[in-house]
Amino acid sequence: MNQLVSLQLKNVSRSFGEVDVLRRISLEISRGEFVAVVGPSGCGKTTLLNLLSGYDRPTSGTIESSGRRRMIYQQDGLFPWLTVNENIGLGLRQLHGEREREGAVTDLLRLIRLEGFERHYPHQLSGGMRQRVELARALAGESDILLMDEPFSALDYLTRMQMRRELARILAERPRTVVLVTHDIEEAAQLADRVVVLSERPAQIRDQLRIAAPRPRNLTDDEVVQAIHRILTVLGIEHEPERATEMERTL
Amino acid sequence: MKWKAIVLPIVVAAALLAVWAGVWATGAFHESAFPSPLAVARGFGEEMRSGRLLNDSITSLFRVVCGFLLAVGVGVPGGLWLGQVLAARLAFLPIINFFRNLSPLAWMPFAILWFGVGDAASIFLIFLSVFFPIVLSTMAAVANIPAVYFRVAEDYGLHGRERLTQVTLPAIMPQVITTLRVTAGLAWLVVVAAEMIAGRDGLGFAVMDSRNGLRTDLLVTAMIAIGLIGIVIDRVLVQLTKIPSVRWGYDR
Ligand SMILES: Nc1ncnc2c1ncn2[C@@H]1O[C@H](COP(=O)(O)OP(=O)(O)OP(=O)(O)O)[C@@H](O)[C@H]1O
Ligand SMILES: [Mg+2]
């Protein structure tokens, strides 16, 4: 596999018994690229991430990856019996030396702007703060690939918007290859270099869109609005303007 | 708010005492069947001076602690094993359910036949009464640990022993502590019943002995001691719920 490629799927299919979930997915994700995967609920997005993380194996096809992979789960994945410090410390277990680890945790706390909360337990934090701790834990110890499964879907709208900014900022400081699964199309358009749109189950890649604008992007930036429109069009929810005018003409 | 928590219970206790004294004053019950508060206070003083109340309390507590620790020591590891191994669950669950629904007091005759009258019989009965709830609750707690915790454990390199001590045990701790509180109360109920029949000392024996001696004042004295020590046991175990790493199981 090419040095510049982080993850590579060739003709990957996955079925559970009779149920075909993923069908012949081919995808190449470059080092440092931010790919968002959108698709209808139940189409197989989590299944795809489980394959990418190595937790699950494809029924057919091959997957290659280079680098340490870390997953942020759809469910709350912080250990509630550990403090913020200890949770982040989990990501640093391979680091030797108390000093080194403490230094790394302090840096990560500053990165996620949670200084002063190191001794708090997850249940004492807000949803957005918990997600930032998950992010810090996944970034710790020089991971290379972040796999995120709808990390912000449990947050309220405003917090979600803030978390997008935070994620863009954090990634600017600690670049990673990212695969973000979401059904929030705005989120995909605002964050990703490339958006992969999956079809209903059995999921196939329906379309891929590149968004070249640099991050951080405003939700109302022209590129973002256009991207949202394009994704919605691929999903068959919005129509091309020409067709709209056509419809008006026929009326 | 604070003063209410102190004053109100005192008012209720005083009212109860007044009702007791009032009923006694009507003379509806014979003196030998219904002691006056004053007689109980005198009996209490007598028992304290002779040291019998203290000895009986220590004896009963000793038995409860032994039976309880034995049950925790076997029950929690047993529950962990059952929670993790499906075959073990299939094999043992029916028989555990059978014994759980069998009142431990039904074992009383065997307890006396096997162990005679004394510590061992009571400890055996306490063990039987709390072992099964502890096993079952630990097992359920293990089975209910969200799968995502084990995924995370795997991702961050926690396997085998580390997984047990750093994930499984802390994940079930809040529920185990709740079970310990409930079963400790159960053990305290059982020790009194056990000692009434299979004891030559202890608070349960004090109850029986007072009845046989027609000393209802000493009977009430023993009852008061039993109730108060029960409260103290729970207060002590409540402290476990204040450990910071288990708070998440209670503040929701
Ligand atoms: N271990 C499994 N065994 C059997 N079927 C499974 C398994 N895992 C997933 N599936 C099936 O695969 C399909 C896709 O599931 P998946 O969790 O990947 O969807 P998703 O796109 O992540 O959905 P959501 O948006 O709701 O999170 C579902 O129909 C599900 O029933
Ligand atoms: Mg999913």
Side-chain angles (χ1 to χ4, degrees):
Chain A
M1 199 168 65
N2 188 320
Q3 279 286 302
L4 298 172
V5 177
S6 264
L7 290 161
Q8 190 171 50
L9 292 87
K10 282 189 188 148
N11 271 318
V12 167
S13 300
R14 179 70 170 106
S15 43
F16 295 100
E18 292 289 283
V19 189
D20 280 347
V21 178
L22 300 176
R23 182 174 288 172
R24 286 198 299 282
I25 307 254
S26 292
L27 195 61
E28 195 174 86
I29 298 171
S30 313
R31 189 171 298 280
E33 192 180 13
F34 191 133
V35 172
V37 177
V38 301
S41 187
C43 75
K45 301 185 295 296
T46 298
T47 305
L48 181 65
L49 281 188
N50 284 340
L51 292 172
L52 290 174
S53 75
Y55 175 75
D56 191 16
R57 307 210 166 282
T59 315
S60 65
T62 58
I63 297 175
E64 284 184 71
S65 75
S66 65
R68 190 198 298 277
R69 290 160 288 180
R70 287 277 172 75
M71 183 124 157
I72 295 179
Y73 293 94
Q74 201 163 355
Q75 309 86 351
D76 225 333
L78 293 178
F79 289 153
W81 53 86
L82 297 183
T83 60
V84 167
N85 245 346
E86 294 163 339
N87 264 295
I88 295 176
L90 271 184
L92 298 163
R93 280 163 44 85
Q94 76 284 4
L95 233 65
H96 298 294
E98 198 67 25
R99 274 270 183 73
E100 232 179 305
R101 265 202 300 271
E102 266 172 35
V105 170
T106 311
D107 287 348
L108 285 161
L109 277 170
R110 194 176 312 124
L111 180 69
I112 59 170
R113 297 183 173 153
L114 276 185
E115 300 111 314
F117 287 92
E118 43 274 80
R119 286 180 203 296
H120 282 60
Y121 284 87
H123 70 102
Q124 300 170 316
L125 305 177
S126 73
M129 290 157 94
R130 276 203 296 275
Q131 282 304 331
R132 280 185 276 163
V133 179
E134 291 230 31
L135 206 52
R137 186 173 71 179
L139 290 167
E142 306 311 314
S143 58
D144 303 291
I145 303 172
L146 277 187
L147 305 169
M148 302 203 260
D149 196 353
E150 305 190 25
F152 309 142
S153 63
L155 305 176
D156 65 88
Y157 189 67
L158 281 179
T159 311
R160 210 153 46 186
M161 306 258 280
Q162 278 159 1
M163 281 306 297
R164 287 180 208 158
R165 288 221 147 256
E166 285 291 289
L167 181 58
R169 179 182 62 76
I170 288 167
L171 285 173
E173 265 189 60
R174 305 228 177 171
R176 295 286 191 277
T177 306
V178 180
V179 181
L180 170 76
V181 155
T182 178
H183 44 222
D184 187 336
I185 284 150
E186 295 176 4
E187 186 173 289
Q190 220 178 327
L191 285 170
D193 301 316
R194 177 157 50 126
V195 180
V196 175
V197 184
L198 297 180
S199 65
E200 295 270 350
R201 209 183 62 219
Q204 291 175 291
I205 295 181
R206 207 180 220 175
D207 211 345
Q208 301 193 42
L209 312 166
R210 289 194 177 276
I211 306 166
R215 278 184 297 269
R217 305 168 188 152
N218 291 321
L219 184 56
T220 46
D221 285 351
D222 284 345
E223 291 94 332
V224 173
V225 173
Q226 276 163 21
I228 292 171
H229 173 66
R230 276 153 58 206
I231 298 166
L232 289 172
T233 308
V234 171
L235 289 169
I237 295 166
E238 287 193 358
H239 301 287
E240 295 295 350
E242 302 87 59
R243 243 205 284 170
T245 47
E246 242 172 68
M247 272 168 64
E248 275 162 32
R249 240 176 278 136
T250 52
L251 277 174
Chain B
M1 226 28 232
K2 201 107 194 161
W3 67 269
K4 277 186 186 167
I6 298 167
V7 172
L8 292 182
I10 292 176
V11 170
V12 171
L16 205 62
L17 204 63
V19 170
W20 173 9
V23 172
W24 174 78
T26 63
F29 296 94
H30 193 269
E31 180 77 30
S32 65
F34 202 96
S36 70
L38 200 65
V40 170
R42 270 201 297 268
F44 200 91
E46 191 184 309
E47 290 290 275
M48 286 305 273
R49 271 193 304 281
S50 73
R52 225 176 65 143
L53 191 61
L54 197 65
N55 279 338
D56 283 335
S57 300
I58 290 170
T59 301
S60 295
L61 270 172
F62 170 75
R63 289 169 181 163
V64 162
V65 169
C66 286
F68 186 69
L69 288 184
L70 216 55
V72 171
V74 186
V76 170
L80 276 168
W81 183 59
L82 291 174
Q84 288 168 321
V85 183
L86 179 65
R89 208 148 59 227
L90 290 173
F92 283 97
L93 206 50
I95 203 76
I96 289 174
N97 268 319
F98 172 81
F99 281 114
R100 184 187 59 155
N101 287 298
L102 180 61
S103 167
L105 301 181
W107 286 97
M108 189 84 81
F110 279 123
I112 296 170
L113 283 171
W114 294 342
F115 301 107
V117 168
D119 288 339
S122 294
I123 292 171
F124 173 67
L125 290 170
I126 292 162
F127 176 85
L128 281 178
S129 57
V130 298
F131 172 73
F132 297 104
I134 289 176
V135 168
L136 285 171
S137 158
T138 306
M139 184 196 80
V142 171
N144 284 333
I145 300 175
V148 68
Y149 294 157
F150 294 121
R151 289 283 301 268
V152 171
E154 196 64 29
D155 291 352
Y156 292 92
L158 296 168
H159 314 284
R161 254 193 104 72
E162 280 183 323
R163 186 174 108 143
L164 177 68
T165 55
Q166 293 184 42
V167 182
T168 311
L169 279 177
I172 64 171
M173 211 33 91
Q175 195 178 326
V176 167
I177 288 170
T178 301
T179 306
L180 294 189
R181 280 182 68 188
V182 174
T183 51
L186 186 61
W188 189 240
L189 294 181
V190 167
V191 76
V192 173
E195 287 168 348
M196 282 174 74
I197 298 172
R200 219 174 279 122
D201 48 8
L203 288 168
F205 176 77
V207 166
M208 210 55 184
D209 195 41
S210 313
R211 193 214 80 119
N212 290 340
L214 295 178
R215 289 289 305 269
T216 50
D217 55 335
L218 299 187
L219 176 55
V220 175
T221 299
M223 287 167 72
I224 291 173
I226 291 167
L228 289 178
I229 293 172
I231 293 177
V232 171
I233 291 175
D234 193 55
R235 286 292 100 194
V236 169
L237 285 174
V238 163
Q239 299 310 310
L240 291 178
T241 68
K242 300 195 174 140
I243 299 170
S245 64
V246 306
R247 283 305 318 160
W248 61 275
Y250 309 105
D251 304 339
R252 295 237 162 188

